[in-house]
Amino acid sequence: MTMKHCLIFFLALWVSLCAVAQRNRIYVDDFEVAPGSTVVVPVMLANQDTTRGAQFNVTLPPGLRFVEMNLTKYAERLKFVYNKTLKDGVCNVMIYQVGPACFVPGDTAIAEITLQAEDTFVGGGITMWKCRGATMDNRSIIMDGVTAVASVPMKAQGSTFLDAGSADN
């Protein structure tokens, strides 16, 4: 393979990776929550299209429950509103505009979900699925959803760490 072919190959690879990174998706990042405590988790919108609304489902692992959801100040400032329904452990969320504004392309926190871990919580996956959106010209957008991990901090698991230099090793 010549240097020219290698350069073209790596350029094509870089362009395709950039295109994948720019797909529309709704997600939450992995986070930690101790049993018996509450955590606020940002819901992120990574969009390549100008977006005027989004809808998605959230499923939580056993031992983690919804407390409340709020829009971020950014979404409120743009005059977005939301509706959520909780049925059979699935929270369906709709975030939509009531004014002329929209979410511009980028990666932005659009909502915050407050979750509470029961005393018996051991961690698990939070799944964002059936993610949809709409552009300013009413085109439907199918967005990628993700599964994030809610883990219990080591300190809350009652683990102790041995000092590698201690005489007991």
Side-chain angles (χ1 to χ4, degrees):
M1 192 182 264
T2 68
M3 182 65 132
K4 181 179 176 182
H5 288 109
C6 286
L7 183 61
I8 291 171
F9 171 76
F10 285 112
L11 182 60
L13 179 64
W14 180 75
V15 168
S16 65
L17 289 175
C18 289
V20 169
Q22 289 296 319
R23 292 172 55 171
N24 295 307
R25 65 189 182 115
I26 295 175
Y27 68 98
V28 296
D29 287 321
D30 295 347
F31 63 92
E32 291 185 341
V33 58
S37 67
T38 301
V39 64
V40 178
V41 180
V43 175
M44 304 296 293
L45 171 66
N47 57 318
Q48 68 180 10
D49 296 303
T50 302
T51 307
R52 68 176 185 91
Q55 178 177 353
F56 55 94
N57 290 337
V58 182
T59 305
L60 300 177
L64 196 60
R65 69 176 185 85
F66 290 99
V67 176
E68 70 177 341
M69 187 184 121
N70 293 299
L71 294 176
T72 60
K73 298 290 182 207
Y74 171 68
E76 287 178 346
R77 194 170 50 252
L78 293 176
K79 301 206 184 312
F80 276 78
V81 296
Y82 76 95
N83 181 32
K84 72 173 176 52
T85 56
L86 184 59
K87 182 178 179 184
D88 299 327
V90 176
C91 185
N92 177 267
V93 178
M94 293 175 52
I95 299 173
Y96 51 96
Q97 79 174 150
V98 291
C102 61
F103 294 120
V104 296
D107 198 355
T108 303
I110 58 173
E112 296 175 331
I113 299 175
T114 303
L115 305 170
Q116 183 171 26
E118 297 173 358
D119 292 336
T120 57
F121 182 66
V122 295
I126 297 175
T127 305
M128 313 284 286
W129 53 286
K130 254 190 183 174
C131 302
R132 306 271 191 274
T135 64
M136 288 301 289
D137 59 355
N138 289 327
R139 280 188 305 110
S140 178
I141 306 169
I142 296 177
M143 299 184 175
D144 294 335
V146 299
T147 298
V149 176
S151 57
V152 175
M154 291 298 284
K155 184 176 172 183
Q157 295 176 18
S159 298
T160 56
F161 298 97
L162 294 175
D163 180 5
S166 73
D168 295 337
N169 289 344

